[in-house]
Amino acid sequence: MKIIHVKNPENREACLAQLCANVYGQEAGLAPLVTFTGTQGVLFEQDAARIFVLADDQQAILAMMLLVSDIEGQGMEVTLLSTPESGDEEHVKRLVREMATRAPLRVHAPDEASEAFFRDCGITQWLDMPDGVRLGLAACHETVTPETLTTPLRFNAEGIVQTFKREPETFASYKARFIAGLERFNGRV
């Protein structure tokens, strides 16, 4: 097994579409399309987001993650994390564990089960954030406090929804790209 940074734009778009579909599910309304659009149109354009996969020796994808950089380059936030339909949670853990040794990862744990999952992945430093969420930092992340932590780059989700309403052609274009990405995704890198 190996970690692969998906750089090819067509493969990256297909992986992003599948990752959004996996994370949000079929009944999520516009959320998967908004995330796909914001990541494609803003974060990838600014070179602020990357997709990494854990693949087997035949290049079959076992787990996928979307990382988003922060404003200062201090860390990379795990934003989306998933396995393909036939995936195994252990593959997700391995992907996070491997990436935590290579990059200054940060993860959000809204509950004890999430924190336990990420602790099992090697996330060792934990901060209590003002919003009540626990933030985990990989060992190679520089030591910070909640006050000195830089903000991950974001896109304006509400702005994207408003654009979709005002510009039906933009909505149709991104919807077509999202569907084409799902159709192109073949579970391989």
Side-chain angles (χ1 to χ4, degrees):
M1 286 187 243
K2 59 186 168 190
I3 306 291
I4 298 171
H5 177 193
V6 182
K7 296 179 184 178
N8 174 286
E10 283 190 10
N11 290 345
R12 183 178 67 186
E13 188 169 279
C15 285
L16 177 62
Q18 188 64 51
L19 191 53
C20 289
N22 291 351
V23 169
Y24 292 106
Q26 302 260 336
E27 307 299 320
L30 283 177
L33 183 59
V34 168
T35 300
F36 175 84
T37 302
T39 303
Q40 271 298 128
V42 178
L43 300 177
F44 283 158
E45 288 296 317
Q46 295 178 7
D47 199 29
R50 292 172 176 74
I51 290 185
F52 289 90
V53 299
L54 175 67
D56 67 14
D57 295 335
Q58 288 75 43
Q59 305 287 43
I61 296 173
L62 304 170
M64 300 183 283
M65 74 167 37
L66 174 68
L67 296 179
V68 176
S69 299
D70 65 24
I71 293 170
E72 302 287 325
Q74 237 182 24
M76 300 179 80
E77 181 177 88
V78 176
T79 306
L80 300 176
L81 186 60
S82 169
T83 62
E85 289 179 19
S86 61
D88 179 336
E89 185 176 276
E90 288 306 312
H91 293 133
V92 174
K93 285 183 179 181
R94 182 167 181 178
L95 177 58
V96 174
R97 193 176 300 114
E98 295 268 338
M99 290 302 296
T101 65
R102 301 174 187 197
L105 291 189
R106 61 173 78 166
V107 298
H108 291 271
D111 54 44
E112 288 180 15
S114 298
E115 183 173 337
F117 174 86
F118 286 118
R119 282 186 181 277
D120 200 30
C121 296
I123 304 298
T124 56
Q125 304 173 60
W126 289 89
L127 302 172
D128 289 314
M129 300 305 288
D131 60 3
V133 172
R134 298 267 292 158
L135 182 77
L137 305 173
C140 62
H141 197 293
E142 63 184 64
T143 303
V144 293
T145 62
E147 300 78 34
T148 61
L149 193 64
T150 56
T151 307
L153 293 167
R154 300 272 188 246
F155 54 84
N156 181 344
E158 185 55 38
I160 291 171
V161 171
Q162 293 306 313
T163 299
F164 285 169
K165 289 179 181 177
R166 282 191 318 273
E167 302 172 13
E169 66 281 356
T170 301
F171 172 77
S173 172
Y174 274 103
K175 181 180 175 185
R177 287 177 69 182
F178 182 77
I179 292 168
L182 288 173
E183 290 170 351
R184 245 186 352 266
F185 183 79
N186 64 4
R188 305 189 100 52
V189 188

